Amino acid sequence: MNATMTNTLLASAMLLALAGCARDDEGNGPAERIGKALDQATAGVTNSVKDEIARADDAVEDARDKVGNATKEASRGLERATEEVGRSVERAGEAMGKSVERAGQEIQENAGKDKEDD
């Protein structure tokens, strides 16, 4: 009985193995089917990675543009601030010159008064 049972199990296993090696409608065996499945999976992953890289490149390009625009705007702001500081310094210099001139006139006037008092 054990031999019969063993023979039956062996025969079933062989039939299952042979069924696994059967070709499909296109004449492809199991290794070919697995190879095609792997190729399709690889192509899918590759396309997904390429799409993600393209999106990342677009994001980097957008960020680069924004940084460039911000840099240009900051440069313009710095130029405007420099011009304003220059105008303020010029006005301050003119005011200081007028103050020094008035002080000089007052000194001369006071010096003339001191001479008259002597």
Side-chain angles (χ1 to χ4, degrees):
M1 286 251 216
N2 276 343
T4 306
M5 204 186 234
T6 302
N7 286 339
T8 303
L9 285 173
L10 280 173
S12 297
M14 289 174 66
L15 286 174
L16 284 174
L18 287 174
C21 291
R23 298 202 174 265
D24 62 9
D25 294 339
E26 296 174 7
N28 296 326
E32 290 172 307
R33 289 191 301 267
I34 290 172
K36 281 184 180 181
L38 286 174
D39 288 345
Q40 289 173 348
T42 301
V45 169
T46 300
N47 289 336
S48 294
V49 169
K50 285 181 181 178
D51 290 345
E52 290 301 319
I53 289 172
R55 273 183 272 215
D57 285 345
D58 290 344
V60 167
E61 189 62 33
D62 288 345
R64 187 177 294 128
D65 290 344
K66 287 178 183 175
V67 167
N69 292 338
T71 301
K72 287 177 187 175
E73 185 59 34
S75 179
R76 280 188 230 123
L78 183 58
E79 287 173 10
R80 286 190 300 267
T82 302
E83 290 170 4
E84 185 60 34
V85 167
R87 284 192 293 271
S88 295
V89 167
E90 187 177 332
R91 286 191 301 268
E94 289 171 0
M96 188 183 286
K98 289 178 183 177
S99 293
V100 169
E101 188 177 327
R102 276 194 306 267
Q105 287 173 351
E106 286 179 18
I107 290 172
Q108 286 178 352
E109 289 172 7
N110 287 335
K113 287 181 184 176
D114 287 342
K115 287 184 182 179
E116 289 176 8
D117 290 340
D118 286 340

